[in-house]
Amino acid sequence: MNDLEVRQLRYFVAVAEELHFGRAAERLGMAQPPLSRAIRALERQLGVPLLERTTRHVALTPAGETLLRDARIALDAVTAAARRARHAGRSEPGLRLALKADYDGGLLPRILAAYQREAAALPVELVLGGKGEQVTALRDGRADVALVPAPVDEPFDVHGLDVEPLLTEPRLVALAASDPLSARSCLRLADLAGRVLPDGTPADGREACPATAGARPRRLDLAEIFNLVEVGSIVWFPPASVAPRHPRPGIAYRTVSDLAPLTLTLAWPHHSRSPAVAAFVRTATATATATATSAAAAVTTAHPADAPAPQPATS
């Protein structure tokens, strides 16, 4: 059997995702007949049917479902290889760090300052993204290393990555100062019934209603989130380190006793052999440990009854 070509995989993925030859052809910028012929040729080459076709619908066979999963991985790897090659060939090399704005546990300035003292350090380029986009940036070649924030009850997929947990900190609820709940110092998720998060999901942990469950909300930047919280349109679950950095008279930050904490994890591709990445990992790990130890000592000495400081994460 001849090896599969990238072009064949792109054609198949488009059809498998659209489940409609016309839409897939439009997406690919080609006519439908040659796309249909290409998919049939691929099925002959593999010796198995990939799609079930009727006059009413197109569906994946078990073989098609398997190929779709692996084809996506293969296409991502090809895209990532091209991006990494272009990046490596730049006249001025750099280290691309993917992160979500303000989700760095307050560590980023210290990490960057310490990293620049490393012999293998390179200029750092920040690749900002929304929730869950940091791992994607690593896999598709847009980033060399990432700071990944994830609730401890929602672990991210680490396949193909090396990871090092840096710290774990509680999350708070940010709500309008005018909200009656702001009069209470500690809440439970059930108290947030009727309120929604920035992504439109219910804040009390219940499933979204059918009318909104499949919707894709517009991604909001930090300023927009703060404005919407202030007027009572949404509530938000930021890590505790955000509150002292962004005090606003119209927003109250409150503890939620049954809200899972957030773990900030450093991640990088398993195949990476970059001295710059290795130096960044060493620096970030040492900085997180030193910062958490100092914070815990300060809280214990000055305010023994206060909430615990962020803790070093354990692998």
Side-chain angles (χ1 to χ4, degrees):
M1 182 184 72
N2 296 330
D3 292 337
L4 298 179
E5 299 177 2
V6 171
R7 174 184 55 83
Q8 292 175 295
L9 295 181
R10 292 196 192 282
Y11 286 1
F12 172 73
V13 168
V15 174
E17 290 180 345
E18 299 292 343
L19 293 178
H20 189 282
F21 278 87
R23 289 195 298 268
E26 183 178 356
R27 169 174 154 181
L28 293 165
M30 63 186 298
Q32 182 175 332
L35 176 60
S36 298
R37 290 194 295 271
I39 297 300
R40 290 198 179 280
L42 176 60
E43 290 176 316
R44 289 195 298 271
Q45 181 178 341
L46 294 176
V48 293
L50 301 172
L51 301 166
E52 294 177 353
R53 306 164 179 81
T54 71
T55 56
R56 292 181 175 272
H57 78 286
V58 176
L60 289 168
T61 66
E65 292 176 353
T66 298
L67 181 61
L68 175 60
R69 182 184 64 246
D70 292 340
R72 284 170 169 159
I73 295 172
L75 291 175
D76 286 346
V78 170
T79 300
R83 283 193 173 124
R84 292 190 182 108
R86 284 194 293 267
H87 180 69
R90 288 167 49 177
S91 59
E92 298 180 1
L95 181 80
R96 299 164 300 170
L97 171 63
L99 72 159
K100 190 174 186 292
D102 277 288
Y103 278 68
D104 62 356
L107 295 176
L108 185 59
R110 298 170 193 161
I111 291 173
L112 294 180
Y115 176 64
Q116 293 307 320
R117 296 193 291 269
E118 291 281 331
L122 294 174
V124 176
E125 174 188 344
L126 300 184
V127 181
L128 297 175
K131 179 181 177 182
E133 294 180 6
Q134 293 70 46
V135 170
T136 301
L138 287 176
R139 292 200 166 116
D140 68 15
R142 287 180 291 127
D144 306 300
V145 64
L147 290 172
V148 184
V152 296
D153 58 350
E154 299 177 20
F156 62 93
D157 180 10
V158 300
H159 177 72
L161 303 175
D162 283 336
V163 297
E164 184 66 41
L166 296 181
L167 62 80
T168 297
E169 62 176 326
R171 287 185 292 167
L172 307 176
V173 62
L175 65 165
S178 59
D179 191 310
L181 291 179
S182 67
R184 298 165 56 179
S185 61
C186 185
L187 305 170
R188 294 184 61 82
L189 284 172
D191 298 326
L192 300 172
R195 294 160 178 83
V196 297
L197 297 170
D199 64 0
T201 59
D204 60 359
R206 291 183 298 178
E207 292 186 5
C209 66
T212 60
R216 288 188 177 181
R218 181 175 64 88
R219 195 175 81 193
L220 304 173
D221 62 30
L222 199 60
E224 290 174 311
I225 289 175
F226 281 135
N227 289 336
L228 290 173
V229 170
E230 283 184 315
V231 299
S233 297
I234 62 171
V235 299
W236 179 40
F237 293 149
S241 58
V242 165
R245 285 185 284 164
H246 295 282
R248 294 171 72 111
I251 293 180
Y253 295 98
R254 296 293 180 260
T255 300
V256 182
S257 61
D258 54 345
L259 182 62
L262 193 79
T263 293
L264 182 67
T265 301
L266 191 66
W268 63 99
H270 178 70
H271 56 71
S272 175
R273 298 296 181 267
S274 165
V277 169
F280 191 90
V281 171
R282 288 194 305 271
T283 301
T285 303
T287 301
T289 300
T291 301
T293 301
S294 298
V299 168
T300 301
T301 301
H303 305 286
D306 283 356
Q311 299 296 312
T314 54
S315 301

